[in-house]
């Protein structure tokens, strides 16, 4: 009887998770086809927030294609009967469901121009993903090839972009509410935010060798540099951070290989 209840709970989790991912994708697609108030998310970014310096070039948002590809891979993999009792998936529980629902709510709030509330929704995406990341112990424990591609990489990429998006979302909400930045210039604040994003990505590399997470940060930094190519300060800050992360990534990879050689 207990085994039957456990299986029923696992099946419910599998179906709810897959459904939440699908719903989030449909909401995202519909928001571009039938945008509220006549502007898509990109349209709002390019008009209301055109002076928010931390927002990357438009092409950077194409990463959502990769994110949803990963999320669909996760959803399909976790719903397989063979993965019903996967302990790693049990650890994550309904966390991806929460993040997916929050993603759908965020789209509505942002398009409704409720930008402060959209920050709260963004945090409700970010926090479950962080908990997933920690529970899966990404980068600190070994995993099969399938789990790397269908569980760990999708979570790392999604979390990487949401980490960047949270910074952008907060900056946009502060901008629209005319925050004076403690009299610090927008350019200086942008450099500070670039440094924060770089430090977090560097930690993921040094402690977990997480190329997927840091790679998303590099993608965003390059897009920021390209968008502000005429602004020497922002361009140098973004490109320096990019090269630093690449160097740390190469060092971490080399260190890992040397440890394997010494232990063999």
């Amino acid at each position: 009887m207990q085994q039957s209840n456990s299986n029923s709970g696992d099946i419910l989790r599998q179906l709810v998770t897959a459904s939440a991912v699908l719903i989030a994708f449909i909401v995202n697609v519909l928001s571009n086809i039938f945008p509220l108030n006549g502007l898509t998310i990109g349209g709002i970014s390019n008009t209301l927030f055109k002076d928010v310096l931390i927002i990357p070039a438009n092409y950077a948002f194409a990463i959502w294609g990769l994110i949803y590809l990963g999320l669909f891979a996760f959803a399909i993999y976790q719903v397989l009967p063979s993965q019903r009792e996967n302990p790693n998936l049990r650890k994550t529980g309904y966390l991806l469901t929460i993040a997916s629902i929050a993603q759908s709510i965020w789209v509505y709030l942002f398009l409704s121009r409720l930008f402060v509330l959209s920050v709260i929704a963004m945090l409700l995406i970010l926090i479950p993903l962080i908990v997933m990341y920690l529970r899966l112990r990404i980068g600190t424990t070994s995993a099969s090839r399938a789990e790397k591609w269908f569980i760990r990489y999708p979570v790392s990429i999604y979390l990487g972009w949401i980490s960047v998006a949270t910074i952008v979302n907060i900056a946009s909400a502060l901008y629209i509410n005319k925050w004076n930045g403690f009299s610090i210039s927008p350019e200086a604040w942008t450099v500070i935010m670039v440094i924060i994003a770089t430090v977090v990505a560097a930690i993921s590399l040094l402690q977990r060798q997480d190329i997927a997470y840091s790679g998303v940060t590099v993608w965003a930094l390059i897009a920021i540099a390209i968008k502000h190519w005429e602004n020497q300060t922002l361009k140098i800050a973004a490109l320096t951070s990019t090269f630093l992360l690449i160097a740390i990534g190469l060092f971490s990879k080399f260190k890992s290989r040397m440890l394997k050689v010494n232990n063999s």
Side-chain angles (χ1 to χ4, degrees):
M1 184 67 176
Q2 186 176 0
Q3 182 67 29
S4 176
N5 290 337
S6 177
N7 286 339
S8 298
D10 287 327
I11 293 171
L12 179 62
R13 170 179 49 78
Q14 288 176 303
L15 295 176
V16 169
T17 298
S19 299
V21 169
L22 180 60
I23 290 170
F25 175 74
I26 291 172
V27 168
N28 200 0
V29 171
L30 291 177
S31 71
N32 285 286
I33 300 175
F34 307 108
L36 290 174
N37 302 315
L39 280 178
T40 63
I41 294 170
I44 291 175
S45 295
N46 291 328
T47 53
L48 297 182
F49 299 123
K50 60 184 176 63
D51 294 324
V52 178
L53 301 179
I54 193 64
I55 296 178
N58 288 338
Y59 80 86
F61 297 94
I63 198 173
W64 275 108
L66 179 61
I67 290 171
Y68 273 112
L69 180 64
L71 291 179
F72 278 126
F74 184 107
I76 293 170
Y77 181 75
Q78 64 87 37
V79 86
L80 296 174
S82 61
Q83 300 305 313
R84 188 164 296 155
E85 298 178 9
N86 185 321
N88 287 326
L89 291 172
R90 281 178 166 174
K91 287 177 186 176
T92 63
Y94 290 92
L95 291 170
L96 185 57
T97 297
I98 295 171
S100 298
I101 293 172
Q103 178 75 43
S104 300
I105 294 171
W106 181 88
V107 170
Y108 171 77
L109 292 173
F110 193 84
L111 290 179
S112 299
R113 307 186 188 188
L114 300 171
F115 300 117
V116 174
L117 291 178
S118 77
V119 171
I120 297 174
M122 183 66 76
L123 293 175
L124 290 176
I125 306 171
L126 178 68
I127 293 171
L129 291 177
I130 291 174
V131 177
M132 283 186 74
Y133 189 86
L134 296 176
R135 286 186 180 178
L136 290 169
R137 301 180 68 185
I138 294 175
T140 62
T141 57
S142 59
S144 66
R145 185 184 297 270
E147 289 211 2
K148 284 181 180 178
W149 282 100
F150 299 130
I151 297 178
R152 294 191 172 196
Y153 292 156
V155 171
S156 287
I157 293 171
Y158 193 15
L159 176 59
W161 185 254
I162 292 300
S163 298
V164 173
T166 299
I167 295 174
V168 173
N169 200 174
I170 292 172
S172 299
L174 291 173
Y175 170 83
I176 206 70
N177 285 284
K178 303 186 185 307
W179 182 57
N180 66 3
F182 300 123
S183 299
I184 299 174
S185 72
E187 188 178 72
W189 270 117
T190 303
V191 172
I192 291 170
M193 288 184 281
V194 164
I195 292 172
I196 291 172
T198 303
V199 169
V200 173
I203 291 172
S204 78
L205 280 172
L206 292 171
Q207 293 186 350
R208 299 173 181 267
Q209 297 178 2
D210 192 348
I211 301 297
Y213 180 97
S214 58
V216 172
T217 305
V218 167
W219 170 266
L221 289 172
I222 292 173
I224 291 171
I226 289 174
K227 183 176 181 180
H228 301 294
W229 199 256
E230 302 303 320
N231 186 315
Q232 292 299 311
T233 300
L234 296 184
K235 180 176 72 173
I236 291 173
L239 291 180
T240 300
S241 296
T242 297
F243 292 133
L244 179 62
L245 288 177
I246 292 173
I248 292 173
L250 292 173
F251 171 76
S252 297
K253 199 72 175 176
F254 174 76
K255 183 179 178 181
S256 176
R257 288 184 178 180
M258 290 302 295
L259 288 173
K260 289 180 180 178
V261 170
N262 293 333
N263 292 332
S264 61

